[in-house]
Amino acid sequence: MLTNTSTTLSDGTRIDDLIAPATREVQMRVLSDPELYELEMERIFGKTWLLLGHESELPNDGDFVVRDMGSDSVIVTRTKGAIAVNLNVCPHRGMRVATTDCGNTQIHKCNYHGWAFRPNGDFIGAPVEREQMHGKILCKEQLGLQKARVTLYGGLIFATWNLDGPSFEEFLGDTKWYFDILFQRSDRGLEVLGPPQRFMVRANWKTAGEQSAADGFHTLTLHRWLGEVGNYAKKDDKKEAGAANDLSPEMIGVEISSPHGHALRCIDLARKFVALTGMDSSKLTLDEKLNALPPPGVSKDMVPQLKRNLSEDQLKVLVSMPPQVGGIFPNILFAFVYIPQGDGSVLGLTLVHAYVPRGPDKLEFVNWILCERDTPPELREKMLEQSIQLFGTSGMVEQDDSDTWPHMTIAAKGAQGKKQTLKYQAMFETGAPAGWPGPGIVNEGFTKDDTQWHWWLYWHELMTAKQA
């Protein structure tokens, strides 16, 4: 039987043998195995920093939402201006303390035996205080809800059960330099456009998680319609038939990998400058580029904020090869994308997804739609509408992806299917572009598999790590 310290499954298979570093292959068994899933809840979701929402979802003292850290329900609360995250399990007899998705309260009370807790998780007391119904063996300070370690990053709420582990900055490592370009670029930061959209997908969480590690290749086929439909279609009668719908030029750029599995796809803006502004970006100054084509979600009058919050090197990346899609290990995808409009303008959309495990063959898709706090009202409405059309519960992009992941999960259950391998053998051989100012594992050119392979290497590192 698999134990907390074991790296061997019950049938004798070693976790080490599920990944072949020499050929960059991963056995498909990893997408369905219940033993692996249980171990992931301990070694990955019990150790890493996990996204739970955005602080703008909790504007008032006492506001709370119920979210999940792996297989554990947690209460995320604003209390005295800070954000607290507590395990949603009463330490008395194991009942859920909060049984609604959200609300506002200064006292969380378990409806089973009435134990009460402050928003920060501290134990207040039990009914019939004179009888000491909480007992005399443990003091009140020992009877509070289990507390997670919490940090805010760009308003995003991250938490971990690993109280003595790496800080969130250490977890991001070199990729923080790039994520700051997206999440730390304005004076007042981001806020949510309403509560997150949520839906279930009958698929293993890793099918979505590893794709979020900057898989650009699937866009050419699974999302081919992006070059064929409506405002997203490329129209050029001078080209040979079919060339106008070719998405391959969009696959060229810079990709950032991380030893911790984080990834970013930075896409060349030169073509967009010509298509959307009619200008040659190589002949423009940094200021001219910012004003001609502000980044997604930023209006022209907000451009001075970018210069206050980002370094010159970060601004250079933002106007030439900005991060547009990617992920944070283990289960987060972000999208800061340019969407062409019918009138020739461009609209920026900002979204963050989390793929929450719900079992070996089920995940909950959680989609936050964000905008800068200083975004004008009319622009907010457009961003919300088009985000829902493309990336929401009924979004055209999500319909593609959420159809693929269940097929992979089902195939991984087959007697022969589970022995097949996921292959990540398209490798960069380029390195960073000349003069590239940012840190990290950087490669330029047509999209490859390196970012996803680094995702699996970190999965493997966590799953085989010695346990205390």
Side-chain angles (χ1 to χ4, degrees):
M1 179 179 291
L2 188 65
T3 68
N4 193 44
T5 58
S6 174
T7 56
T8 303
L9 303 179
S10 59
D11 67 354
T13 302
R14 297 190 315 147
I15 295 176
D16 260 338
D17 295 334
L18 298 175
I19 289 188
T23 57
R24 306 216 319 182
E25 294 177 272
V26 180
Q27 282 192 27
M28 283 187 62
R29 174 178 179 171
V30 302
L31 300 182
S32 66
D33 193 293
E35 284 185 286
L36 285 174
Y37 177 83
E38 292 301 324
L39 196 59
E40 288 166 348
M41 295 304 101
E42 293 284 344
R43 297 191 176 184
I44 294 179
F45 287 87
K47 297 291 186 181
T48 59
W49 288 93
L50 305 172
L51 175 66
L52 298 178
H54 193 275
E55 65 169 338
S56 59
E57 297 180 76
L58 307 167
N60 304 308
D61 195 62
D63 284 349
F64 73 91
V65 293
V66 174
R67 298 284 157 79
D68 294 274
M69 294 176 65
S71 54
D72 291 303
S73 174
V74 295
I75 307 170
V76 185
T77 309
R78 183 176 290 278
T79 172
K80 297 180 180 179
I83 301 296
V85 175
N86 301 300
L87 184 66
N88 191 17
V89 175
C90 182
H92 182 221
R93 299 284 171 79
M95 173 64 183
R96 273 195 171 207
V97 177
T99 56
T100 59
D101 283 343
C102 59
N104 181 284
T105 184
Q106 293 300 324
I107 299 176
H108 289 279
K109 188 168 73 171
C110 176
N111 64 16
Y112 192 12
H113 296 97
W115 282 34
F117 307 89
R118 301 188 193 283
N120 70 353
D122 289 348
F123 179 62
I124 298 173
V128 198
E129 178 70 16
R130 67 180 179 274
E131 297 293 338
Q132 292 186 281
M133 297 303 293
H134 61 279
K136 298 180 180 180
I137 296 175
L138 300 176
C139 64
K140 287 188 174 183
E141 288 73 22
Q142 296 174 289
L143 295 175
L145 302 177
Q146 182 177 337
K147 300 180 181 183
R149 183 180 172 195
V150 181
T151 194
L152 296 181
Y153 176 66
L156 295 170
I157 303 167
F158 286 88
T160 181
W161 299 118
N162 193 359
L163 303 184
D164 300 316
S167 68
F168 184 71
E169 288 197 5
E170 291 171 328
F171 178 58
L172 287 186
D174 286 339
T175 59
K176 184 180 183 299
W177 191 90
Y178 301 95
F179 286 122
D180 284 352
I181 296 175
L182 305 175
F183 295 106
Q184 304 270 51
R185 64 190 184 184
S186 63
D187 292 346
R188 299 203 304 136
L190 295 161
E191 64 181 352
V192 293
L193 292 175
Q197 297 174 304
R198 301 159 70 175
F199 63 97
M200 294 292 185
V201 182
R202 296 292 300 187
N204 184 276
W205 71 272
K206 293 187 294 300
T207 59
E210 64 94 37
Q211 180 186 299
S212 299
D215 178 359
F217 190 21
H218 79 284
T219 307
L220 292 173
T221 48
L222 191 62
H223 303 315
R224 179 187 171 100
W225 60 268
L226 283 167
E228 301 173 338
V229 178
N231 297 339
Y232 318 107
K234 301 175 182 179
K235 304 174 180 66
D236 189 345
D237 296 334
K238 296 180 182 179
K239 291 184 178 181
E240 61 185 78
N245 296 328
D246 182 14
L247 290 173
S248 58
E250 301 296 330
M251 299 299 103
I252 298 172
V254 168
E255 295 188 358
I256 317 296
S257 295
S258 164
H260 290 163
H262 317 312
L264 303 101
R265 291 194 64 230
C266 303
I267 301 175
D268 191 352
L269 282 188
R271 295 183 303 276
K272 285 187 171 62
F273 262 102
V274 174
L276 297 171
T277 70
M279 294 183 282
D280 182 351
S281 61
S282 66
K283 299 178 180 179
L284 301 177
T285 66
L286 191 151
D287 284 345
E288 288 171 338
K289 290 178 183 179
L290 283 172
N291 285 289
L293 190 60
V298 174
S299 58
K300 289 187 178 181
D301 60 352
M302 294 168 60
V303 167
Q305 296 186 32
L306 301 175
K307 300 174 72 173
R308 287 195 291 268
N309 290 282
L310 301 177
S311 70
E312 185 173 348
D313 281 343
Q314 288 173 315
L315 288 173
K316 288 178 181 177
V317 169
L318 186 61
V319 300
S320 62
M321 199 81 68
Q324 293 190 43
V325 292
I328 298 176
F329 187 92
N331 65 332
I332 302 168
L333 176 140
F334 69 85
F336 285 69
V337 293
Y338 296 86
I339 304 298
Q341 305 297 292
D343 61 3
S345 63
V346 63
L347 181 68
L349 305 184
T350 302
L351 306 107
V352 177
H353 303 335
Y355 306 111
V356 181
R358 293 294 192 184
D361 58 359
K362 184 187 290 186
L363 66 88
E364 183 177 25
F365 190 121
V366 186
N367 174 43
W368 288 271
I369 301 171
L370 302 163
C371 73
E372 301 290 346
R373 290 181 187 270
D374 292 329
T375 303
E378 63 278 7
L379 187 54
R380 288 168 176 261
E381 290 300 319
K382 287 184 180 179
M383 293 172 70
L384 180 60
E385 178 184 355
Q386 294 197 23
S387 294
I388 291 172
Q389 290 173 353
L390 278 175
F391 297 101
T393 303
S394 58
M396 297 171 70
V397 171
E398 314 303 359
Q399 290 181 43
D400 295 337
D401 290 329
S402 60
D403 178 67
T404 303
W405 303 327
H407 287 294
M408 297 167 66
T409 303
I410 292 170
K413 295 179 180 181
Q416 299 303 316
K418 67 181 181 181
K419 300 175 186 177
Q420 300 300 304
T421 60
L422 309 167
K423 298 173 179 63
Y424 302 88
Q425 298 167 341
M427 292 179 278
F428 276 115
E429 300 175 345
T430 54
W436 182 259
I441 306 169
V442 183
N443 286 284
E444 70 170 331
F446 199 89
T447 185
K448 295 293 191 294
D449 296 334
D450 295 62
T451 54
Q452 289 176 276
W453 179 240
H454 280 97
W455 189 96
W456 278 111
L457 289 179
Y458 192 51
W459 177 90
H460 174 261
E461 178 183 329
L462 292 174
M463 291 290 283
T464 57
K466 291 183 178 180
Q467 303 301 297

